[in-house]
Amino acid sequence: MNLREQAAEARRAGRILSGLSSRHRSAVLARVADVLQDRRVEILAENAIDVEAGRLAVEAGTLSSALAKRLALTAAKLQALSDGIRGLANASEPLGRVVRSTELADGLNLKQVTAPLGVLLVIFESRPDALPQVAALALRSGNGLILKGGREAARSNAVLHKVITEALAPDVPAGAICLVQTREQISDLLALDDLIDLVIPRGSGAMVRHIQSNTRIPVLGHADGVCHVLVDVDAEPAMARRLVIDSKCDYPAACNAMETVLIHRDWPHTGALLNHLREAGVVLHRGPNGPADLPNAPALRHEYGDLACTVQIVGDLPEAVDYIHANGSGHTEAIITGNQQTADTFLAAVDSACIFHNASTRFADGYRFGLGAEVGISTSRIHARGPVGVDGLLTTRWKLSGQGDTVAPFSAGDRSFTHRPNEPDA
Amino acid sequence: MNLREQAAEARRAGRILSGLSSRHRSAVLARVADVLQDRRVEILAENAIDVEAGRLAVEAGTLSSALAKRLALTAAKLQALSDGIRGLANASEPLGRVVRSTELADGLNLKQVTAPLGVLLVIFESRPDALPQVAALALRSGNGLILKGGREAARSNAVLHKVITEALAPDVPAGAICLVQTREQISDLLALDDLIDLVIPRGSGAMVRHIQSNTRIPVLGHADGVCHVLVDVDAEPAMARRLVIDSKCDYPAACNAMETVLIHRDWPHTGALLNHLREAGVVLHRGPNGPADLPNAPALRHEYGDLACTVQIVGDLPEAVDYIHANGSGHTEAIITGNQQTADTFLAAVDSACIFHNASTRFADGYRFGLGAEVGISTSRIHARGPVGVDGLLTTRWKLSGQGDTVAPFSAGDRSFTHRPNEPDA
């Protein structure tokens, strides 16, 4: 099958998958959880070959050690994956949930119900544990799936794909989850906008940007996380120190890490705060209005992804908000203040996916938000914004049940609409 | 200002607009409703010039009479527009609605609240009454708006834009609603994917297709409405006649009109039904398995938009569903059957925005669905699907309120997440 046929088959098989009862789909997920355990020897053997090849590639300078580090699977990792998938098997059914139920007129009832998007394309770099996770999310949400893995994890991905699709039989055709292995095919996949409904890139900002620029398919994700923390004039100094350090240092490479700290001009503890950052190993740069003794930031909008940040002094709240709108990426911004009114103004004014008061930017995460599995964090405003769970893989359908109703009598004024909300489960 | 500056100003002004209190935004809407009345003489005078120019253009063969017909405004139309906008002024507030509220941990509370998308680009053809309608929807939903009207309605659009933006002062900068008048600028607007969040084309399928193919901005709408009605073996003949005639003849040019009737092979009333269609003036064509005495349909997937349809005989329900998936546009499909189990199977299996049982396809409409104003009907699966109301102009933001909370103690196991749902209004 060529790629187009594979995508069409993913749609067809996805429709069979989503047509299964919830119990049935849970059973399929439970089988997937089982095979990751039962066939771990085979999986780990193939993975060991990728890991060894990765080690040699790092020595040869053809693979970054960061990517190589993510290659390895272990029995414990497979156990954790298996547990996660079993959790998803037992989670509440996302499909067919009634979002809205309205009596349009006597005997004419409308329901808006959740439904799968159709076909997802997930592009991921070396981490092979992404494959079973994403496959499980697609199965739970009734979507067909096309997986594009990295070359460096080819054998691991192939064996994971093989054991998972074998576990789909006999209920779901193997084509519901399709694995594409060669790099050349990415652009061909990105051209299939009539067959693929959503692209989810899981990788570097550069990779996400490349995909966003090369497809008309909607992309769920974000290329940048340029997050700001605003230390207001009414910020309590110990809290400011705690939150700024956590936002920057807990995991500096994360997309929800702080990249710029904005400090109110009249806050009296700036020097102490900057010293705390330095003591924590953070390299400080100055924004357009930062402390004169610091080196200039590389750019106004810059994601360090490391123990470094930009410091900018601001005159008031509107100036801070304007700075964030001009230089942020719309991901996550936090204010630290003891003044509730200032906090309310900030939370109302800042146009980002996540806006926090007196909390670390690092909370911007699907798991921490209680969404269960995280599909990604979206900085787009369409479809899903912020941390996205299984709900981001759904759309809705409208189902209308009548008794032979035509619009003619409504147009003629002989019947009229009631538009009465029904109980959601009616 | 160039287009890029105008779009940036629409975003800035939109943020001011969405920052107004609900009462305040309602007052702005009420003023817009008022000016359409108070300044009707001026509006109708400008409109009369467009209408006269349109009449001459039709005579000269440079404008279609269909477009010219839609140009005229009347005092009654302005009254109706004004009433509609006053209704929107009094409608419930769409912004800041709490979609989800969760206690993440003791003292750490998360809310997902509705927010405007940002900047909308609405492209419409000759109908100038679209301008006040769309402007009112943007004001209600707190979005900045760029309007691109047709050249044939240039003077009407200009005066409507002028009186409406004057009514925004002093609360909202006039740049919140920007009117672009020349045709050459469409492609420039469609390139501003960093400044415009959603394009809403209101016009022909050809226009929608052109826009979809020439922008990376998400497009809300549909290019085709190739709707199917399936007459099942258990269809009651009088109901089948009524629904098929209403679906096709009530308004043949509408996107939700029936284009293909699928009839079960064993249904005994096919001849009578086709005669009823002929008597109603409908020209019949045959699908691949239609009655041999009919001329072939122009294409498998064809929107007649007129008193004509394709007739296809099907062997069973799965065959009908496959035919719809292969040849439909995912807009609206209906089944006519007295068998509830058959209906349930159809409603579960058909992957379209709207799926109806024993009801006319013509009900697929935002007003008939009770959504209030209709923004458009979407056949995309991302963001919004089916008839779209004001909700389709919204996204959400996540607001987190803490007391100085960092993630470190959660990672260390010293604190744990509760993820307890709060009452929605908490």
Side-chain angles (χ1 to χ4, degrees):
Chain A
M1 280 200 283
N2 63 27
L3 282 181
R4 173 162 279 280
E5 288 161 348
Q6 284 181 295
E9 172 60 12
R11 184 173 296 278
R12 192 191 70 85
R15 283 175 176 148
I16 292 170
L17 169 68
S18 66
L20 297 181
S21 69
S22 180
R23 201 175 44 80
H24 232 95
R25 245 176 314 113
S26 289
V28 173
L29 277 161
R31 289 205 301 270
V32 170
D34 287 343
V35 292
L36 292 181
Q37 295 281 85
D38 299 347
R39 300 179 67 172
R40 64 180 178 280
V41 174
E42 186 180 347
I43 296 168
L44 293 176
E46 291 295 305
N47 179 246
I49 300 174
D50 281 338
V51 170
E52 175 57 16
R55 199 184 57 77
L56 295 173
V58 171
E59 283 181 13
T62 56
L63 184 70
S64 79
S65 59
L67 282 183
K69 243 189 282 180
R70 301 195 195 125
L71 271 178
L73 292 173
T74 59
K77 268 197 189 175
L78 289 177
Q79 174 76 57
L81 280 169
S82 193
D83 290 348
I85 294 170
R86 210 162 275 118
L88 214 50
N90 298 324
S92 67
E93 173 60 50
L95 297 180
R97 213 171 54 227
V98 179
V99 173
R100 188 181 184 114
S101 179
T102 313
E103 182 203 82
L104 300 193
D106 187 39
L108 188 62
N109 286 288
L110 179 72
K111 282 186 195 174
Q112 184 183 16
V113 299
T114 55
L117 282 175
V119 177
L120 315 174
L121 167 60
V122 178
I123 302 175
F124 57 107
E125 288 178 336
S126 63
R127 209 185 279 274
D129 34 347
L131 194 152
Q133 280 171 339
V134 168
L137 286 168
L139 290 170
R140 179 78 278 174
S141 59
N143 282 291
L145 176 63
I146 302 173
L147 288 159
K148 176 73 186 80
R151 202 176 25 175
E152 61 289 351
R155 295 187 73 124
S156 312
N157 289 335
V159 67
L160 287 165
H161 177 253
K162 175 167 166 280
V163 303
I164 290 171
T165 48
E166 283 173 13
L168 301 183
D171 308 278
V172 182
I177 301 176
C178 154
L179 176 68
V180 173
Q181 288 268 34
T182 58
R183 173 176 275 280
E184 300 72 66
Q185 290 167 310
I186 285 196
S187 59
D188 299 325
L189 283 166
L190 294 176
L192 300 177
D193 58 303
D194 56 331
L195 290 170
I196 297 173
D197 299 293
L198 188 67
V199 184
I200 307 175
R202 301 182 73 143
S204 67
M207 180 236 220
V208 175
R209 251 185 305 271
H210 173 80
I211 289 168
Q212 285 172 335
S213 311
N214 286 283
T215 187
R216 289 181 45 233
I217 309 171
V219 179
L220 192 153
H222 61 278
D224 307 296
V226 183
C227 304
H228 296 73
V229 174
L230 168 60
V231 180
D232 178 52
V233 65
D234 294 318
E236 199 271 310
M239 187 192 285
R241 183 181 68 210
R242 200 162 67 238
L243 290 181
V244 167
I245 294 288
D246 194 75
S247 295
K248 181 68 255 185
C249 307
D250 180 63
Y251 184 18
C255 62
N256 57 13
M258 177 188 88
E259 303 298 341
T260 295
V261 58
L262 303 168
I263 306 176
H264 194 288
R265 181 175 52 200
D266 301 327
W267 191 63
H269 312 282
T270 301
L273 179 68
L274 297 185
N275 280 335
H276 281 297
L277 277 166
R278 283 193 193 94
E279 283 161 21
V282 179
V283 178
L284 304 178
H285 299 257
R286 70 186 295 272
N289 190 28
D293 58 329
L294 299 180
N296 284 332
L300 279 175
R301 170 180 171 150
H302 185 70
E303 185 170 9
Y304 295 93
D306 207 339
L307 279 176
C309 74
T310 300
V311 181
Q312 167 80 355
I313 307 297
V314 292
D316 59 11
L317 189 64
E319 185 187 325
V321 171
D322 286 347
Y323 185 91
I324 290 170
H325 286 158
N327 304 306
S329 62
H331 191 298
T332 298
E333 333 293 344
I335 186 171
I336 309 170
T337 183
N339 184 322
Q340 186 64 45
Q341 205 186 320
T342 306
D344 289 344
T345 304
F346 183 85
L347 265 65
V350 174
D351 191 7
S352 291
C354 303
I355 317 120
F356 295 174
H357 173 214
N358 289 352
S360 166
T361 56
R362 291 276 296 135
F363 282 105
D365 167 275
Y367 167 68
R368 289 175 182 141
F369 273 16
L371 305 182
E374 180 177 285
V375 173
I377 298 183
S378 166
T379 53
S380 141
R381 293 136 184 275
I382 297 294
H383 188 61
R385 192 182 195 193
V388 182
V390 175
D391 284 359
L393 305 181
L394 303 180
T395 181
T396 59
R397 293 181 197 155
W398 298 86
K399 300 190 176 184
L400 180 65
S401 294
Q403 303 179 333
D405 304 80
T406 59
V407 299
F410 292 91
S411 310
D414 296 333
R415 288 186 75 184
S416 51
F417 289 103
T418 55
H419 292 153
R420 193 177 297 139
N422 284 322
E423 288 302 306
D425 51 358
Chain B
M1 278 199 286
N2 63 28
L3 282 181
R4 172 162 280 281
E5 287 161 350
Q6 284 180 294
E9 172 60 11
R11 183 173 296 278
R12 191 191 71 85
R15 283 174 176 149
I16 292 170
L17 169 68
S18 65
L20 297 181
S21 70
S22 180
R23 202 175 43 78
H24 232 96
R25 245 174 316 111
S26 290
V28 173
L29 277 162
R31 290 206 302 271
V32 170
D34 286 344
V35 294
L36 293 180
Q37 294 282 87
D38 298 347
R39 301 181 65 174
R40 63 180 176 279
V41 175
E42 185 180 348
I43 295 167
L44 293 176
E46 291 295 304
N47 180 245
I49 300 173
D50 281 338
V51 170
E52 175 58 14
R55 201 184 54 76
L56 296 173
V58 171
E59 284 181 13
T62 58
L63 185 69
S64 78
S65 59
L67 283 182
K69 243 188 286 179
R70 302 193 194 127
L71 271 177
L73 292 173
T74 60
K77 267 196 189 176
L78 288 175
Q79 174 76 58
L81 280 169
S82 194
D83 291 348
I85 294 170
R86 211 161 275 119
L88 214 49
N90 298 324
S92 67
E93 172 61 49
L95 297 180
R97 213 171 56 227
V98 178
V99 173
R100 188 184 183 112
S101 179
T102 312
E103 182 204 84
L104 300 193
D106 187 41
L108 188 61
N109 286 288
L110 179 72
K111 281 187 195 174
Q112 184 183 16
V113 300
T114 55
L117 281 176
V119 177
L120 315 175
L121 167 61
V122 178
I123 302 175
F124 57 108
E125 288 178 336
S126 62
R127 207 185 280 274
D129 34 345
L131 194 152
Q133 280 171 339
V134 168
L137 286 169
L139 290 170
R140 180 76 280 174
S141 59
N143 283 291
L145 176 64
I146 302 172
L147 287 159
K148 175 72 186 76
R151 203 176 24 174
E152 61 286 350
R155 293 186 75 124
S156 312
N157 288 335
V159 68
L160 285 166
H161 178 252
K162 174 166 167 281
V163 303
I164 289 172
T165 47
E166 282 172 16
L168 301 183
D171 308 280
V172 182
I177 300 177
C178 154
L179 176 67
V180 172
Q181 288 268 35
T182 57
R183 173 177 275 279
E184 299 73 66
Q185 290 167 309
I186 285 194
S187 59
D188 299 326
L189 284 166
L190 294 178
L192 300 176
D193 58 301
D194 56 331
L195 290 170
I196 297 173
D197 299 294
L198 187 67
V199 184
I200 306 176
R202 301 181 71 141
S204 67
M207 180 233 215
V208 175
R209 249 183 307 269
H210 173 80
I211 289 168
Q212 286 172 332
S213 310
N214 287 281
T215 187
R216 289 182 46 233
I217 309 170
V219 179
L220 192 151
H222 62 277
D224 307 295
V226 183
C227 304
H228 296 73
V229 175
L230 169 60
V231 181
D232 178 51
V233 64
D234 294 318
E236 200 270 311
M239 185 193 285
R241 184 181 67 211
R242 198 163 70 239
L243 290 181
V244 166
I245 295 287
D246 194 76
S247 295
K248 178 70 261 184
C249 306
D250 180 65
Y251 185 15
C255 62
N256 57 14
M258 178 189 86
E259 304 298 341
T260 296
V261 57
L262 303 168
I263 306 176
H264 194 288
R265 181 174 53 199
D266 301 327
W267 192 61
H269 312 282
T270 301
L273 179 69
L274 298 185
N275 280 337
H276 282 296
L277 277 164
R278 284 193 191 94
E279 283 160 22
V282 179
V283 178
L284 304 178
H285 299 257
R286 68 186 298 271
N289 190 29
D293 57 328
L294 299 178
N296 285 332
L300 278 176
R301 171 179 169 151
H302 186 69
E303 185 169 10
Y304 295 93
D306 207 339
L307 279 175
C309 73
T310 301
V311 182
Q312 167 80 355
I313 307 297
V314 292
D316 58 11
L317 188 64
E319 186 187 326
V321 171
D322 286 346
Y323 185 93
I324 290 170
H325 286 159
N327 303 307
S329 62
H331 191 297
T332 298
E333 335 293 344
I335 187 171
I336 310 170
T337 183
N339 184 323
Q340 187 63 46
Q341 205 186 321
T342 306
D344 289 344
T345 305
F346 183 85
L347 266 67
V350 174
D351 190 10
S352 291
C354 305
I355 316 119
F356 294 175
H357 173 214
N358 289 351
S360 167
T361 56
R362 291 276 296 133
F363 282 105
D365 168 276
Y367 168 68
R368 292 180 179 138
F369 272 16
L371 305 182
E374 179 176 288
V375 172
I377 298 183
S378 165
T379 53
S380 137
R381 294 137 184 271
I382 296 293
H383 188 59
R385 192 182 195 191
V388 182
V390 175
D391 284 358
L393 305 180
L394 304 179
T395 181
T396 59
R397 291 181 198 155
W398 297 86
K399 301 189 175 184
L400 180 65
S401 295
Q403 304 180 333
D405 303 81
T406 57
V407 299
F410 292 90
S411 310
D414 297 334
R415 287 186 76 185
S416 50
F417 289 104
T418 56
H419 291 151
R420 194 177 296 139
N422 284 323
E423 288 303 304
D425 51 356

